[in-house]
Amino acid sequence: MKNPFKASTSWRLPVLLALGIIIALVVAAFFGYRLRYNSIHFVSTNNAQVAAALVQVGSLHAGRIIKMNADIGTSVGEGQVIAIVDIPTVITRSETTETPKLGFKDVRDQLVDVVAPISGVVAARWTRVGDTVPAGQPIVTLMDQRQVWVVANIEEGKVRRVRPGQYVDVQVDTLGGTVAGWVETVSPVTAATFSLLPTRNTSGNYTKVGQLVPVKIVLEDSHLPLVPGSSATVRIHVAR
C-alpha cells in the first residue's frame, strides 16, 4: 500500500527549491540595481572629517606671560584681551661687559596686551602664566565657529565626476544624523602633495597606490554644534 503522506510531500521539495532560487534572484537583482544606481548617481566616501578655521594667537613681543584671561572652551570677542605679556627691559649694566642684563620690572609701560584678532572659541592653550615666550609663538588657538566645513577625500578615479555646486548628503558622527551641503571646491592636487614625506620611488619595485583628492563641502546650516576633527560620511549627488 502506498504512503499517502509521502505522495503528498514529494512535490513540495522542488517547489520550495524553485521558490528559494526565485527569491535569491530577486534579492540579488534588487541589490545589483541599487549598487548600479548608486554608482551612477552618487560618489560616496567615509574618509571625511569636519574642519574649521583655526587662528594661532601670539604676542608680537618676546616676554613673560603674567596673566591669562581665557582657557580652552572660552568664547572671546574680536579685540578682547586674551593675555598680558611683560616685556623684558634693561635693569643693570655691567662695568666689565658691554652686554646689558635684562629683566622684568612689571611696570605698565612694559606690559603688552595680546588681543583676539577674531571672535571665536579657544580651541587650544599652549602656555601658562609665568611662561616666557618668544615673539610670534602661539599662546592660544582660536576656532571661528562661523567657518566650519567638511573635507572629503575622494579617490582619484572618481573625482572627475565631482563639480562645485553639487548637492551633498553629509552624515556627521557627532550629530548622529544627516545634514545637507554642497561642494564648494575640488583641490587641484592630491592630499599626498602636501605630506611631510612625499612618496618618491625611483627604484624598479614601484607599487601603484591610489591617491585621494580633498573636496571642500560647505553645510547649509552654519550653526550646527560640529566638532572639528570628527568623522563624517558624504554622498555627493553627481548625476543631479
Side-chain angles (χ1 to χ4, degrees):
M1 183 177 179
K2 295 183 179 181
N3 188 344
F5 179 77
K6 183 177 180 180
S8 62
T9 58
S10 60
W11 58 272
R12 293 184 180 179
L13 183 59
V15 171
L16 292 176
L17 182 60
L19 184 61
I21 294 175
I22 293 173
I23 294 175
L25 291 175
V26 171
V27 172
F30 173 77
F31 283 103
Y33 169 78
R34 293 297 303 174
L35 182 62
R36 176 66 176 170
Y37 179 88
N38 289 336
S39 66
I40 293 175
H41 291 79
F42 308 106
V43 169
S44 303
T45 182
N46 59 1
N47 187 352
Q49 286 186 326
V50 178
L54 301 177
V55 178
Q56 309 292 345
V57 183
S59 173
L60 297 178
H61 305 275
R64 182 181 62 190
I65 299 177
I66 63 171
K67 188 175 183 180
M68 289 287 299
N69 296 327
D71 205 343
I72 296 176
T74 303
S75 296
V76 298
E78 182 177 353
Q80 180 176 335
V81 177
I82 296 177
I84 299 177
V85 175
D86 188 0
I87 303 174
T89 186
V90 177
I91 54 176
T92 60
R93 290 185 180 273
S94 174
E95 297 180 355
T96 60
T97 178
E98 296 181 355
T99 304
K101 293 184 179 180
L102 300 179
F104 301 96
K105 293 183 176 180
D106 293 337
V107 295
R108 184 61 209 174
D109 291 342
Q110 301 299 324
L111 301 183
V112 175
D113 293 337
V114 179
V115 300
I118 63 170
S119 297
V121 176
V122 177
R125 171 177 165 175
W126 306 107
T127 58
R128 297 185 179 278
V129 173
D131 289 347
T132 301
V133 295
Q137 176 179 315
I139 295 176
V140 298
T141 298
L142 290 182
M143 180 185 72
D144 189 350
Q145 293 179 303
R146 299 166 299 178
Q147 298 186 49
V148 181
W149 60 91
V150 173
V151 176
N153 295 305
I154 306 298
E155 298 175 12
E156 58 183 338
K158 299 179 180 179
V159 75
R160 65 180 181 275
R161 304 174 62 196
V162 180
R163 298 287 185 273
Q166 290 173 333
Y167 184 82
V168 185
D169 298 320
V170 183
Q171 182 177 352
V172 183
D173 291 359
T174 54
L175 293 180
T178 301
V179 295
W182 70 88
V183 176
E184 184 176 75
T185 58
V186 179
S187 176
V189 297
T190 65
T193 303
F194 299 104
S195 63
L196 294 178
L197 296 174
T199 303
R200 291 194 180 101
N201 194 320
T202 57
S203 63
N205 60 348
Y206 172 73
T207 301
K208 182 178 180 180
V209 178
Q211 299 299 318
L212 301 174
V213 179
V215 173
K216 182 179 179 180
I217 299 170
V218 177
L219 304 180
E220 288 186 354
D221 189 349
S222 60
H223 301 287
L224 295 171
L226 299 175
V227 179
S230 58
S231 301
T233 300
V234 304
R235 187 174 70 163
I236 306 172
H237 295 243
V238 296
R240 172 173 289 190

